[in-house]
C-alpha cells in the first residue's frame, strides 16, 4: 500500500462518502416523486426544488465517483494480506458498476429537474422518465449487493461481516421493487444498511491502520 493510500486514507474515503451521500441525497434532494405520481405534482416538485435537487445529485455523484469508487478498489487490499484475492477484484468491479448504474439512473430525473418541470417536456415524457428512474434505481441495488458481499468475505469482524451480508440480501431483494411495490420499504432499508456497512468497514480499517511504512494488519480486520 502506498503512502497516499495507506489504511487511514482508505478509511477516511468511506467516511467521507457516507457524509457527502447523506448531505446530497437526504438533505438536499429529499424524497423526489415516485413512478406513478400525477404529472402535475411532479412538475410542481421540480419547479420548486429543481435547483436543489440537481445540487444534491451533484454532491451525491461526487461522493460515489471520487470517494466510494476508490474506497471500493482499495478497501479490500487493506482488509486482506493475500496479494490478489478474487473477492477484492470482484468488490472493485462491483464498485465501478455501482457508480455507472447510479449515474445512469439519476440522469432521468435530472432531465426533469433541468426543465424545472415546465411544458418543454410533455406529460408522457415526464411519466416515462419517472418509470425509467425507478428501473434504474432498482438496478443500483445489484452491484451494491455484490460489493457488500465481496467485501464482507474479507472482513474478520463478525459484526461488520454480518452487516455486509445483511445489506447484500436486502439489496438483492429490494431490487425487485418494480415488480412488487411492497419491496420499496426493503429497498430503502437496504441502502441504509449498505451505508452503515461502509461506515463500519471504514471505522474498522481506521482502527487497525498503521502509519505509512508499516504493514496494516488487514487480515486481522
Amino acid at each position: 500500500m502506498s503512502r497516499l493510500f495507506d489504511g487511514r486514507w482508505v478509511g477516511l474515503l468511506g467516511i467521507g462518502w457516507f457524509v457527502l451521500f447523506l448531505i446530497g441525497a437526504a438533505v438536499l434532494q429529499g424524497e423526489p416523486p415516485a413512478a406513478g405520481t400525477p404529472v402535475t405534482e411532479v412538475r410542481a416538485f421540480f419547479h420548486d426544488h429543481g435547483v436543489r435537487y440537481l445540487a444534491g445529485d451533484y454532491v451525491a455523484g461526487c461522493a460515489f465517483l471520487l470517494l466510494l469508487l476508490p474506497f471500493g478498489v482499495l478497501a479490500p487490499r487493506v482488509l486482506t494480506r493475500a496479494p490478489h484475492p478474487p473477492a477484492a477484484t470482484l468488490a472493485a468491479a462491483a464498485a465501478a458498476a455501482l457508480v455507472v448504474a447510479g449515474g445512469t439512473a439519476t440522469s432521468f430525473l435530472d432531465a426533469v429537474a433541468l426543465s424545472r418541470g415546465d411544458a418543454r417536456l410533455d406529460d408522457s415524457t415526464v411519466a416515462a422518465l419517472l418509470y425509467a428512474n425507478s428501473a434504474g434505481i432498482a438496478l443500483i441495488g445489484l452491484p451494491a449487493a455484490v460489493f457488500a458481499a465481496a467485501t464482507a468475505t474479507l472482513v474478520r469482524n463478525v459484526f461488520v461481516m454480518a452487516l455486509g451480508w445483511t445489506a447484500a440480501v436486502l439489496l438483492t431483494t429490494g431490487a425487485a421493487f418494480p415488480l412488487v411495490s411492497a419491496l420499496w420499504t426493503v429497498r430503502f432499508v437496504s441502502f441504509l444498511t449498505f451505508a452503515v456497512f461502509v461506515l463500519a468497514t471504514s471505522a474498522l480499517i481506521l482502527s487497525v491502520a498503521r502509519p505509512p511504512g508499516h504493514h496494516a494488519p488487514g487480515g486481522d480486520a
Side-chain angles (χ1 to χ4, degrees), residues 39-131:
V39 173
T40 53
E41 294 182 18
V42 177
R43 292 188 187 281
F45 176 88
F46 285 107
H47 179 270
D48 296 336
H49 306 291
V51 173
R52 182 170 177 170
Y53 181 88
L54 289 170
D57 197 44
Y58 173 77
V59 172
C62 287
F64 275 88
L65 182 61
L66 302 180
L67 298 176
L68 187 65
L69 180 57
F71 174 81
V73 172
L74 296 168
R77 294 171 56 188
V78 179
L79 292 168
T80 180
R81 289 193 181 100
H84 300 290
T89 302
L90 183 60
L98 174 57
V99 171
V100 173
T104 301
T106 56
S107 66
F108 300 117
L109 284 191
D110 285 349
V112 184
L114 282 168
S115 74
R116 305 295 189 270
D118 67 23
R120 285 176 289 178
L121 296 178
D122 58 36
D123 288 358
S124 60
T125 300
V126 172
L129 288 171
L130 256 67
Y131 284 115

Side-chain angles (χ1 to χ4, degrees), residues 171-190:
L171 286 162
T172 303
T173 304
F177 81 84
L179 300 174
V180 183
S181 59
L183 292 177
W184 171 259
T185 302
V186 176
R187 183 261 174 194
F188 178 76
V189 173
S190 71

Side-chain angles (χ1 to χ4, degrees), residues 15-46:
I15 294 172
W17 170 81
F18 181 87
V19 173
L20 284 187
F21 177 66
L22 188 65
I23 294 172
V27 177
L28 292 177
Q29 286 188 323
E31 185 176 357
T37 301
V39 173
T40 53
E41 294 182 18
V42 177
R43 292 188 187 281
F45 176 88
F46 285 107

